[in-house]
Every structure is written in C-alpha cells, then in structure tokens.
Amino acid sequence: MLSVLIAGGGLVGCVNACMFGRKGWRVTVFESRSDPRGNALEKGRSFNLALGFRAMETLKHIGILEDVIKMGVPIKQKISHQEDKEGVLENLALLKEGDFILTINRQKLSELLIQKAEGYSSVKFSFDHKAIKYDVECKKLLVESPDGSQINVDGDLILACDGAHSTIRRSLLKTPRFNFNQKYCDIGYMDLSVTIENVSELKLGIHYSWRRKGVILVALVNRDRTLTVSLFANFTVFAENCSTPEDSVLFFQRYFSLIYSIIGERHIFDTFSRYKPQAIISVLCSRHGFFDKLLLMGDAAHAMLPFQGQGANCGFEDCLVLQEILEETGEDDLKSLVKKYSEVRTNDTNMMNQMEWEGYVQLVEDLQNLNRSLGWFNKMQSSLKNRLSVWFPSKFTLAAFSRERYSEITRKHQLAQKFQLCIKTTFAIIIIIIAFMIIR
C-alpha cells in the first residue's frame, strides 16, 4: 500500500486526505492545532469562503458537494452601497444560467472534510502534531509531538499543505534554483461574525457590501442564523478610526449604521478589545515540486489575496489536478507525478496570483475615487465597458465559473483587451468627429 504524509489539516490537506483515502493509500495528516470539531467557531480571524466552479468540481469528485451546498448559501445577487448612496441591486456576472458562488463558513467546511476523510480506514489525523520542516538530508518530514519530542517520518509522497506561512516551504529556501516571493497588501481585515435572532433587514442569498474611502464592509446571512460581517480596511484607516474599542463603536455607528443596529455596540466593542486587524499575504513560488516526492500545495505554494475569491478555489483545484495527473502517470511513477504537477501548476497558479494582485490594485484605486463624479464622456465609457464585459467575460468571471486554465484565461484576456481598446478608440474618434462637426 502506498503512503502519503500531509503536513497541515486545513482545507487543502483534508481534501487531499479524502482523495488519497478514496484510492486506498495509507494517509497520515499532521495538524498543529487541535481537532476543530466541537470547538466554538473561531472569531476575529476568518471570513466566509466563496466557492466557485473549481472548488465545487473538487467537492463533487470526493462526493460531498450536495452536503456542502445544503450547508452554504448560493449567491447570485449583490447589493452595493457606495458612500452614503442608496444600495444598488445587481446580478453577479455569470457565465451561464445556473452559475452561483457558494458562501460557507471555513470551519464548518473543514469539520465536514475531516469527517469525510476519517470515513476511510486508511486515513489517520494526528492533531496537535506540527510538521516542523522537511529534512533535505534524509528526505523525511520532521514532526513535533505535543510533548515536544521530534521524529522523522517518511512516505512515498509528501504534501505540504501547511498554509501561507508554511514551515515546510521555509525549510526549502536553501534549495538551489528555488525562488520565493511574499508581499503583504496594505489592507487588513476583521471578522465580526455573530449569531443573532433577527436579520430581517438583510436577506439570505444576497452579498451585501458597503464602500467608503479605504474601507469595504461585507455582510452575508448564513443558514444557521449567523451573520458573517467582514471589515476590510487600509491599516491607516484602522489606526485612525479603530485604535480603541470605543473609537471602533463610533466608527460603525457613524458609517455603517445598519450593521451597527444589527450586531450591536457590545459585540463591536468586545471584538475590537480582543482582536487586532489581520494582515493579508501574497505568496509566489518558482516551483512546487522537490526531490521527486515533495509537493507544495494550497497557500503553502500560492497564497492569494481574497478580494476576487480565488484562493480556496485554486487550492481545491490543486488537489483535483494532482489526481488527474496521477491517473495519467500511474501510481508506479511518482517521480513523473511530482515533476509534471510542478510544471503544470506553478505557471497557472502564479498567473492567478498576479490576477488577484491586479484586482487588488484596481480595488484600491476604486476606493480612493469613490467621491469623484464622472463626466459625461467617462460615463459613456463606463457604459461601453459594461456592455463589452457581456461580450468578453472578465478574467475573474472566467476563473470563477469554469475550469479553464489560468494561463489560457490570461491569454484570452489580453486579446480581449486589445479588441476593446480598438473599439474604445474608434468610439472616441467618432465622438470627436461629431463634436467637431457640431462646433463648425
């Protein structure tokens, strides 16, 4: 029986455990935290996942998609508030009828995945066991037990799924020709999720957002009557407006009165008393495969900014791509599996990571320009842009509602940009000619 060691029992680690458990491999998952099942939901440090087509295809593969959909909330519409303006109801930019984004609590999904993985007799979870590093000398995984003792463990395949601050990745930094880059964005986040009795002001199945200069507040109603409230803001905004719990209460009272009235002063005060804004990191790696047996996966390989919702989707798809390549190479040739996975996935995920960063840059620009009124020409350009987006779906729409390779999406987007530029230029020339004729 082949064996796989998985460093990290988060979402990607658990999906991999399900995949390999289903194949009958001997699977051991090392997770530094305790078993999340039965524990209170983590507060202040998380927000709902937005699962698109890639994630849902992966969940379908392991047989739990229907259960996940029952737990989550399908989103097809959003209501956006900008500054003090009335909220505008819009449909999400979908590729086809029936598409939706599924929003779900991260911890609840994790618990379901653990339960599914443990249903296979060959899968074992070792909670409170931290994978410290990959020993490049003996080609084994070094694991620390709860009592502080350390042991080297080995498997036919080793998957590092231990998150954006991966200790396994850190142990590879001296590996020749392995380049690694990380950068933090200027926006942090706070989770103010709460269980409440009455959310009649907000409806199930709608993504609510409020935008002010340098700030985005997102609210989602969950099936279990919890309300997910996520505050994203520039760290300067946090420092100026939320430096004390009292200031935070006044900030919500002044700028987000509806949410303030729902979640209440005490909850805001307590949350900002106990937690600090969390940083958001982006990670790029020059390759994902090492030593013919070790793979970086999920955030350990490509941590992404959350603003376009592709991080979890990309991580889930990692697991599916690995299985698809395994079907091609066969279980007798793991060396080819590691090599091909790294070749295929590194380029694609790095392109998606770049898309996310570009989306963040555009988001920052939009937040800074909320108060600027558009002239008539800019308004016409904006209307034309919206029309063109119907003919040429954005790269993020293609990423969210298809499994098209990110590299192919980038290529199509570049072609679409050139065509759109031609149309806009032609449109501008026509307007100038008409204006000139009127003046004459």
Side-chain angles (χ1 to χ4, degrees):
M1 181 187 295
L2 291 172
S3 65
V4 57
L5 305 180
I6 301 176
L11 296 173
V12 175
C14 288
V15 171
N16 272 317
C18 292
M19 296 278 196
F20 283 96
R22 183 182 181 185
K23 283 185 172 294
W25 285 43
R26 188 170 66 254
V27 182
T28 306
V29 183
F30 299 102
E31 171 54 48
S32 60
R33 296 168 295 185
S34 58
D35 191 334
R37 291 170 291 184
N39 295 335
L41 296 181
E42 187 177 32
K43 298 293 184 182
R45 300 174 62 87
S46 186
F47 43 84
N48 270 25
L49 297 170
L51 305 182
F53 186 78
R54 295 169 197 271
M56 286 189 274
E57 281 294 290
T58 305
L59 294 170
K60 182 191 295 184
H61 187 84
I62 60 178
I64 63 170
L65 178 58
E66 291 185 5
D67 292 331
V68 173
I69 291 176
K70 290 176 183 178
M71 291 171 56
V73 177
I75 302 290
K76 290 187 176 183
Q77 294 180 308
K78 60 182 179 179
I79 294 181
S80 304
H81 302 76
Q82 294 198 7
E83 293 294 328
D84 296 322
K85 298 176 183 177
E86 189 74 21
V88 178
L89 177 65
E90 302 174 272
N91 293 324
L92 298 183
L94 307 175
L95 274 185
K96 58 185 182 298
E97 186 69 25
D99 284 340
F100 59 88
I101 295 294
L102 186 72
T103 178
I104 188 171
N105 178 272
R106 177 186 295 267
Q107 183 173 326
K108 290 186 176 181
L109 178 56
S110 179
E111 292 174 2
L112 179 62
L113 286 168
I114 293 171
Q115 180 180 335
K116 176 66 175 180
E118 285 191 334
Y120 298 103
S121 59
S122 61
V123 176
K124 175 187 176 184
F125 279 81
S126 293
F127 293 104
D128 300 307
H129 284 71
K130 182 177 179 59
I132 298 175
K133 70 173 185 177
Y134 182 78
D135 191 324
V136 297
E137 297 298 328
C138 66
K139 304 295 187 293
K140 294 181 180 180
L141 196 65
L142 183 63
V143 177
E144 184 177 78
S145 302
D147 61 5
S149 61
Q150 299 178 359
I151 57 170
N152 279 317
V153 291
D154 194 15
D156 297 296
L157 187 65
I158 299 176
L159 308 179
C161 309
D162 53 337
H165 301 282
S166 169
T167 58
I168 309 303
R169 185 186 64 231
R170 191 183 310 147
S171 68
L172 301 172
L173 294 183
K174 292 185 179 180
T175 304
R177 298 169 58 201
F178 173 47
N179 298 315
F180 160 71
N181 174 268
Q182 73 171 41
K183 52 185 177 181
Y184 288 89
C185 70
D186 294 329
I187 292 178
Y189 71 92
M190 285 284 287
D191 166 41
L192 293 104
S193 303
V194 63
T195 301
I196 50 181
E197 293 299 324
N198 184 16
V199 288
S200 57
E201 298 90 340
L202 304 177
K203 296 180 180 179
L204 192 72
I206 293 181
H207 177 279
Y208 293 87
S209 69
W210 289 260
R211 294 192 177 195
R212 306 194 69 86
K213 191 171 183 179
V215 182
I216 300 176
L217 184 73
V218 175
L220 293 160
V221 180
N222 302 307
R223 291 191 186 279
D224 59 359
R225 308 309 297 168
T226 58
L227 179 67
T228 296
V229 180
S230 303
L231 176 66
F232 298 90
N234 188 285
F235 281 102
T236 302
V237 174
F238 276 120
E240 292 176 350
N241 298 278
C242 304
S243 58
T244 68
E246 292 83 1
D247 288 343
S248 302
V249 170
L250 293 174
F251 179 66
F252 270 80
Q253 192 173 22
R254 179 178 180 183
Y255 294 114
F256 306 111
S257 56
L258 175 58
I259 295 299
Y260 173 82
S261 67
I262 295 174
I263 66 178
E265 175 181 338
R266 174 50 56 187
H267 180 64
I268 298 171
F269 186 95
D270 289 346
T271 300
F272 280 89
S273 297
R274 299 170 61 185
Y275 304 106
K276 299 295 182 184
Q278 299 298 303
I280 303 173
I281 190 174
S282 173
V283 170
L284 287 172
C285 296
S286 62
R287 58 187 170 114
H288 297 171
F290 304 84
F291 313 114
D292 299 333
K293 67 185 304 183
L294 172 65
L295 288 172
L296 300 179
M297 301 184 71
D299 283 354
H302 48 71
M304 297 179 183
L305 304 185
F307 307 111
Q308 302 295 335
Q310 276 300 297
N313 288 279
C314 192
F316 277 40
E317 191 182 40
D318 285 351
C319 308
L320 191 52
V321 170
L322 181 61
Q323 294 298 315
E324 291 168 346
I325 295 175
L326 182 58
E327 290 295 324
E328 296 176 17
T329 61
E331 296 183 349
D332 296 331
D333 192 2
L334 297 185
K335 178 179 179 179
S336 295
L337 169 70
V338 171
K339 180 181 179 182
K340 186 168 184 180
Y341 176 88
S342 186
E343 289 174 349
V344 168
R345 206 61 182 154
T346 301
N347 183 51
D348 272 359
T349 56
N350 284 353
M351 285 192 172
M352 186 62 239
N353 207 312
Q354 182 60 33
M355 288 186 212
E356 287 280 17
W357 192 268
E358 290 171 359
Y360 155 68
V361 172
Q362 183 62 53
L363 174 65
V364 171
E365 182 179 331
D366 292 345
L367 290 177
Q368 294 301 318
N369 296 333
L370 285 178
N371 285 325
R372 295 183 185 177
S373 59
L374 294 176
W376 68 272
F377 183 71
N378 284 340
K379 286 182 179 179
M380 293 183 71
Q381 275 196 316
S382 178
S383 177
L384 178 62
K385 181 179 179 181
N386 291 336
R387 175 55 56 187
L388 288 173
S389 68
V390 175
W391 301 335
F392 303 101
S394 74
K395 53 189 175 182
F396 293 109
T397 301
L398 289 171
F401 301 111
S402 75
R403 278 201 64 204
E404 193 159 14
R405 289 184 60 172
Y406 295 125
S407 53
E408 180 63 13
I409 290 172
T410 299
R411 186 189 69 81
K412 285 185 176 180
H413 178 68
Q414 290 170 346
L415 290 175
Q417 277 187 317
K418 291 178 182 178
F419 187 70
Q420 290 179 44
L421 179 61
C422 290
I423 293 178
K424 289 179 181 179
T425 302
T426 303
F427 177 75
I429 292 172
I430 292 173
I431 294 297
I432 291 171
I433 292 173
I434 292 174
F436 180 74
M437 293 177 66
I438 292 174
I439 292 173
R440 287 188 61 188

